[in-house]
Amino acid sequence: MSDDPTPITPEIVTEEEEENENENKGELVTQSSKPKFLYLVPITGRPHLPAQAQPLVVSKKRWEETLAKSAKENQGLLGLCYFSEVKGGYVYKEDFPKIGCVVRMLNVQEVQGNLQFIAQGLERFKIKKFLSDKPPFVAEVEYFPESKDDEDTVKAYAISIISNIRQLLSLNPLYSEELKQYLNHFSPDQPSPLTDFAAGITTASGDDLQDILETESILDRMKKVMMLLQKEIEIAKLQTKIQKDINTKVDDNKRKFFLREQLKAIQKELGIQKDDKTSDVDKFKERFEKLDPPEHVIKRFAEEIEKLSVLETGSSEYGVTRNYLDWVTSFPWGVYSEDNIDIERAEKVLDRDHSGLSDVKERIIEFFAAGVYKKDISGSIILFVGPPGVGKTSIGKSIAEALGRKFYRFSLGGMRDEAEIKGHRRTYVGALPGKMVQALKDTAVANPVIMLDEVDKIGASYQGDPASALLEVLDPEQNSAFLDHYLDLSIDLSKVLFICTANTLDTIPPPLLDRMDRINLSGYISSEKLEIARKHLWPKLLKRNKLSASTITITEPTIRHLIEGYAREAGVRNLEKLLNKIIRKSIVKILKEKQEKIQINIKSLEDLLGPPVFTPEKQMTGPGIVTGLAWTAMGGATLSIEAVKVHEKGSGFKLTGKLGDVMQESASIALSHVRASSQSYGISENYFDEAFIHIHVPEGATPKDGPSAGITIATAIVSMASGREIERPLAMTGEITLTGDVLPVGGIKEKIIAARRVGIKEIILPQGCVSDFKKLPEHIKEGIEFHFVKKYREVYKIVFG
């Protein structure tokens, strides 16, 4: 078929011409009737071969004149030339191949604006020269002489070609019966048409067939066609094999399907097996009988089972009801695990899994003791608050193990949809129960330990407020009748022990916080970290990497240096990462240097991890410089506050250091108090009338806020104004009022731990923090002198004497 988009209509043929054409139809062109000049038409796709007869469609607009002149001047004989592609829809005489095929046009018709005709291939021709440069293309041509190859050899090849064609026809069902009959018209005595016919029935490319067309020697042409036929036979065999494999598989599946259906019918007739609906109903009833559900659940179950029994299995409502019953019967109604409330065992589990945190362990044991006394662990929601890496989640697991209860944990961090807590209505596509129902289903008991991680990072959006949804879950007065939207049944969560974790309390809604029993995990001092690394982290990492304790050893001074120089944070997560890094680098060294044992010391530690991140902190000294103590979500921290007089050109006050609103107010209050009582603090009466004061808290890029720097800022102002500096390692924390009262602050444990870390030996605390101070373990307070003050005048006397 021509690639050109346009076709044509020939001129009307007279009756006399039509009779002459009918006489010549089907006959080869004789030597005397071979036209010396041919009109040429390009075709694409596949070249036309002699002995081929097939329909062609050409553009009327482009080739109408060519076909008309061929019909009139050459008795319907036309030259077809193969183009592998036609660029831009136009052809030029330079693009024509030298060899083409003479065809006789039969039954020319106009079809949908194109010209269609049957092209009956006659023989090859060769272009000698063109007589026109544009359509209609006319060329002077010559024809190939008869081949003079050895007749016996040619006949043998012809027989082989016929044999291969018959083999191909038997393999490929695409070849019709008519084609097999057509083959009978060819014999070994007609090698040229036989060869062209054989090439035409293959799926060879257009370029390969053009090569056949251009091959003058009949013997060479037959050899090439034999290769094409062999390739076609191999493809047909492979196709037959693939089809046979597929049919075998399909037939086998059909056979099994019919056998299964027959087996089902027989079993159903004999009462051995039930249909899908009956099977579902019986399965749900069997599950439900093993549970101890309340009355309202029994009533709902009966209604849903009755509905399932009348629904068609193919309906969407059947699927919804079936899923609902699956959840209802999978929920552990009335199934409780027995608590193993043993105080001594609980202490052993907590000591085994955690070093340090003695105050936290004591609080947990008190909780267990209350449960032993009333023989029930419920009604209390524990909230662990502390910086990252202090073991909040792992303590929850230890509590579950000590109680002998199932443990389930999920994170609330980033949760924005209240449906994740309370479930979706089951009318929605893909509806599921909330996390509480899923937790009880997965643990298969109604009294597990459920840990709600990252409760301070819960979000809110247009989809609802999950924190508000948690109120019903965590309130002991409400959770005995918690309603999940999917099940739409009251669920008793009062026997569940809820444990929540948070890094800070600021972002937890007050109504939610009010329902929790807070336990603070303040972090670890160096000695506790050393114990944790030695007893827990190092053995765990060796086991994880399948190393023996003798392969890589690390000394206690090295671990201490690692803690002080590389991992000063409140938790131990970063310490674990560094120990794991040491093990990885040591394994590389073992493999490269073929060492059997490696010992890690302080010197090799710096080779593995680089220089220490933290250097020994030197307390800033000088007039106007005071060390304060602060609390952050990452633990306690020391905070140096600087105050300087910029000039005496006028009274003024400037604050820097990215301070929050609360800290800015503290600074204003501290300045006002010192200014009002300046003479009693050894400051000249008119000092503040002329001085412009600048107060700065270093590390200005770090946001700082909170009500604990009042007395520190006041002391810095007094030190600056009086010119007296604090030369001993002293720190303080507390808020101040305009009248000089010192108010209590929080985070005492974290602040004391931070002070110990930098070597401070003397700390000033508000009198109101005595109760918090007394709860602290002795090893945290050891070696530090503490002063408790009610008024700022007491601070002044302690600091300046």
Side-chain angles (χ1 to χ4, degrees):
M1 184 182 292
S2 173
D3 214 13
D4 196 281
T6 50
I8 53 185
T9 0
E11 295 178 5
I12 302 207
V13 183
T14 64
E15 290 183 7
E16 184 181 350
E17 289 171 338
E18 188 174 355
E19 287 175 8
N20 293 335
E21 184 180 334
N22 289 336
E23 289 175 6
N24 293 329
K25 205 175 278 184
E27 299 175 4
L28 291 175
V29 185
T30 62
Q31 190 63 32
S32 59
S33 66
K34 290 180 182 178
K36 186 176 181 183
F37 303 100
L38 280 176
Y39 287 94
L40 306 180
V41 171
I43 59 172
T44 57
R46 287 162 64 93
H48 202 92
L49 295 169
Q52 259 188 327
Q54 62 181 22
L56 287 179
V57 178
V58 294
S59 166
K60 177 180 178 181
K61 181 181 177 182
R62 181 66 57 85
W63 305 109
E64 179 180 19
E65 186 181 355
T66 302
L67 265 64
K69 289 189 175 183
S70 293
K72 184 175 181 180
E73 298 175 13
N74 283 352
Q75 294 82 42
L77 298 180
L78 180 70
L80 297 181
C81 296
Y82 167 72
F83 280 65
S84 57
E85 61 177 336
V86 177
K87 295 179 180 177
Y90 294 96
V91 294
Y92 303 94
K93 67 177 186 178
E94 294 82 6
D95 300 329
F96 277 82
K98 294 299 181 185
I99 308 296
C101 179
V102 181
V103 299
R104 185 183 298 280
M105 295 186 299
L106 304 174
N107 196 22
V108 181
Q109 297 178 1
E110 183 178 347
V111 179
Q112 296 180 350
N114 292 333
L115 292 179
Q116 178 178 299
F117 61 92
I118 303 296
Q120 181 185 4
L122 301 176
E123 69 174 281
R124 292 163 174 76
F125 70 85
K126 183 176 183 181
I127 299 173
K128 291 177 68 177
K129 65 177 181 177
F130 277 88
L131 303 180
S132 63
D133 295 335
K134 58 183 179 179
F137 290 106
V138 183
E140 182 182 348
V141 299
E142 62 181 359
Y143 301 92
F144 291 89
E146 291 185 8
S147 177
K148 297 179 180 179
D149 294 318
D150 180 62
E151 291 184 5
D152 293 338
T153 306
V154 169
K155 191 170 183 179
Y157 269 102
I159 293 170
S160 296
I161 287 174
I162 292 173
S163 174
N164 283 337
I165 291 174
R166 293 191 186 281
Q167 185 179 354
L168 182 61
L169 296 181
S170 65
L171 287 171
N172 196 334
L174 294 176
Y175 297 114
S176 64
E177 193 63 34
E178 290 81 2
L179 193 59
K180 296 178 183 178
Q181 296 294 331
Y182 187 61
L183 178 62
N184 294 330
H185 291 86
F186 293 96
S187 71
D189 297 326
Q190 297 174 309
S192 184
L194 174 64
T195 305
D196 292 335
F197 170 77
I201 66 172
T202 65
T203 58
S205 66
D207 292 337
D208 288 341
L209 293 180
Q210 180 66 21
D211 181 44
I212 298 293
L213 186 67
E214 293 178 357
T215 304
E216 184 176 348
S217 168
I218 184 64
L219 192 57
D220 293 341
R221 199 187 314 156
M222 295 175 96
K223 289 178 181 178
K224 291 180 180 179
V225 170
M226 282 285 288
M227 296 293 292
L228 294 180
L229 285 172
Q230 286 295 330
K231 184 178 178 182
E232 207 70 23
I233 289 169
E234 292 301 320
I235 294 172
K237 284 181 178 178
L238 182 59
Q239 182 184 358
T240 305
K241 182 179 181 300
I242 293 170
Q243 192 63 41
K244 186 178 178 182
D245 291 343
I246 293 171
N247 291 339
T248 303
K249 194 171 183 180
V250 170
D251 291 344
D252 189 48
N253 289 338
K254 282 181 181 177
R255 185 175 62 84
K256 288 180 179 177
F257 172 76
F258 288 126
L259 286 173
R260 285 194 198 98
E261 291 302 312
Q262 288 174 357
L263 182 61
K264 281 183 184 179
I266 293 168
Q267 289 177 336
K268 188 176 178 183
E269 198 68 30
L270 296 173
I272 301 172
Q273 190 181 33
K274 301 155 186 172
D275 60 16
D276 292 341
K277 187 195 298 184
T278 310
S279 178
D280 284 341
V281 169
D282 290 348
K283 178 178 72 175
F284 293 140
K285 285 182 177 179
E286 185 181 347
R287 276 194 204 168
F288 201 67
E289 286 172 1
K290 296 177 182 177
L291 305 172
D292 185 18
E295 189 62 36
H296 68 282
V297 178
I298 296 173
K299 184 179 177 183
R300 174 66 62 80
F301 176 77
E303 292 172 357
E304 296 295 330
I305 278 289
E306 186 178 350
K307 185 198 294 186
L308 190 74
S309 302
V310 298
L311 288 171
E312 288 295 327
T313 55
S315 68
S316 59
E317 184 67 19
Y318 182 87
V320 172
T321 306
R322 187 188 180 283
N323 288 340
Y324 177 79
L325 285 168
D326 188 33
W327 276 100
V328 169
T329 55
S330 299
F331 190 85
W333 303 104
V335 179
Y336 299 97
S337 60
E338 188 176 347
D339 288 338
N340 182 11
I341 309 175
D342 185 342
I343 299 290
E344 292 182 0
R345 181 176 179 274
E347 285 180 335
K348 287 179 182 177
V349 170
L350 291 172
D351 288 337
R352 181 198 71 195
D353 295 342
H354 302 275
S355 295
L357 302 177
S358 54
D359 52 338
V360 176
K361 292 177 187 175
E362 184 180 343
R363 175 67 186 82
I364 293 169
I365 295 302
E366 290 170 5
F367 174 74
F368 280 0
V372 170
Y373 189 76
K374 64 180 181 179
K375 297 181 180 178
D376 181 29
I377 299 276
S378 61
S380 182
I381 290 87
I382 301 173
L383 171 62
F384 290 124
V385 185
V390 295
K392 301 184 292 294
T393 304
S394 58
I395 284 181
K397 291 179 182 177
S398 299
I399 291 174
E401 185 181 344
L403 281 173
R405 287 194 184 188
K406 298 286 185 66
F407 179 79
Y408 187 90
R409 173 200 166 274
F410 68 92
S411 176
L412 297 171
M415 186 180 287
R416 293 179 177 273
D417 189 354
E418 67 175 16
E420 293 195 47
I421 302 294
K422 302 195 73 174
H424 304 81
R425 301 286 179 192
R426 61 170 165 149
T427 51
Y428 297 119
V429 175
L432 282 173
K435 284 288 187 183
M436 297 304 147
V437 173
Q438 293 180 38
L440 298 188
K441 181 197 172 191
D442 288 354
T443 56
V445 290
N447 62 336
V449 174
I450 297 180
M451 172 163 278
L452 309 176
D453 240 345
E454 314 291 356
V455 73
D456 57 326
K457 297 177 182 63
I458 199 167
S461 70
Y462 67 91
Q463 294 170 310
D465 183 7
S468 300
L470 277 177
L471 294 177
E472 186 182 354
V473 173
L474 298 180
D475 191 339
E477 301 300 323
Q478 299 181 46
N479 63 12
S480 58
F482 172 73
L483 185 68
D484 182 86
H485 289 159
Y486 181 84
L487 294 183
D488 199 25
L489 295 168
S490 295
I491 299 168
D492 185 5
L493 298 179
S494 61
K495 303 297 182 184
V496 176
L497 175 58
F498 290 102
I499 299 175
C500 305
T501 70
N503 296 131
T504 178
L505 301 177
D506 300 342
T507 54
I508 303 176
L512 187 59
L513 188 60
D514 184 55
R515 287 162 170 79
M516 301 178 184
D517 191 359
R518 281 173 273 173
I519 299 178
N520 291 313
L521 283 78
S522 306
Y524 303 100
I525 60 175
S526 297
S527 59
E528 290 175 333
K529 283 188 177 182
L530 177 63
E531 194 73 5
I532 291 168
R534 192 172 58 83
K535 284 187 176 180
H536 300 283
L537 301 181
W538 186 253
K540 181 178 77 173
L541 292 171
L542 288 176
K543 185 178 180 181
R544 185 189 297 170
N545 290 281
K546 297 182 179 179
L547 295 166
S548 64
S550 60
T551 306
I552 303 175
T553 56
I554 187 168
T555 61
E556 281 196 17
T558 307
I559 299 177
R560 190 176 289 109
H561 180 69
L562 178 67
I563 293 165
E564 294 294 338
Y566 299 85
R568 284 192 184 177
E569 76 287 345
V572 293
R573 188 168 290 142
N574 191 44
L575 176 60
E576 182 178 3
K577 290 178 183 176
L578 292 170
L579 289 171
N580 197 26
K581 185 176 182 180
I582 289 169
I583 289 177
R584 290 199 311 268
K585 288 183 174 290
S586 299
I587 291 172
V588 172
K589 196 172 182 182
I590 288 171
L591 295 175
K592 280 187 174 181
E593 301 178 9
K594 308 296 182 184
Q595 295 186 21
E596 293 184 1
K597 294 182 180 180
I598 287 182
Q599 184 174 22
I600 310 298
N601 52 37
I602 294 175
K603 184 180 178 182
S604 60
L605 189 67
E606 296 193 6
D607 293 336
L608 295 169
L609 302 179
V613 177
F614 302 100
T615 54
E617 292 184 29
K618 186 179 180 182
Q619 196 173 2
M620 296 172 66
T621 58
I625 300 175
V626 180
T627 302
L629 297 174
W631 178 91
T632 70
M634 301 296 290
T638 56
L639 211 62
S640 292
I641 294 177
E642 301 172 299
V644 295
K645 181 174 70 174
V646 180
H647 57 72
E648 294 182 352
K649 295 179 182 179
S651 177
F653 173 57
K654 183 178 181 181
L655 261 177
T656 56
K658 203 170 185 182
L659 308 180
D661 293 338
V662 176
M663 212 159 173
Q664 290 182 33
E665 287 184 3
S666 294
S668 300
I669 294 167
L671 178 61
S672 297
H673 171 73
V674 174
R675 189 170 185 175
S677 310
S678 58
Q679 287 185 322
S680 61
Y681 298 139
I683 304 169
S684 62
E685 186 176 354
N686 61 350
Y687 180 87
F688 293 103
D689 296 335
E690 301 172 352
F692 184 89
I693 299 168
H694 185 173
I695 298 175
H696 175 65
V697 184
E699 297 185 28
T702 306
K704 293 170 280 291
D705 199 13
S708 62
I711 64 173
T712 314
I713 295 172
T715 306
I717 295 171
V718 171
S719 174
M720 171 206 66
S722 63
R724 289 173 288 181
E725 64 177 89
I726 305 170
E727 297 181 351
R728 63 190 191 273
L730 178 144
M732 62 189 72
T733 183
E735 190 54 281
I736 192 172
T737 67
L738 285 172
T739 56
D741 290 334
V742 179
L743 303 179
V745 293
I748 297 300
K749 182 178 178 181
E750 291 89 341
K751 292 173 180 178
I752 294 174
I753 290 173
R756 288 186 67 90
R757 196 162 54 229
V758 298
I760 287 173
K761 303 296 183 184
E762 193 175 352
I763 297 177
I764 299 174
L765 299 173
Q767 183 69 38
C769 296
V770 171
S771 58
D772 292 337
F773 177 80
K774 287 181 179 179
K775 296 175 185 176
L776 299 179
E778 288 301 323
H779 67 275
I780 290 178
K781 301 183 280 187
E782 187 180 354
I784 299 177
E785 182 182 356
F786 293 93
H787 304 279
F788 296 94
V789 294
K790 288 183 179 179
K791 292 281 187 178
Y792 181 73
R793 186 169 296 280
E794 297 173 45
V795 177
Y796 174 76
K797 288 180 180 178
I798 293 167
V799 175
F800 300 107

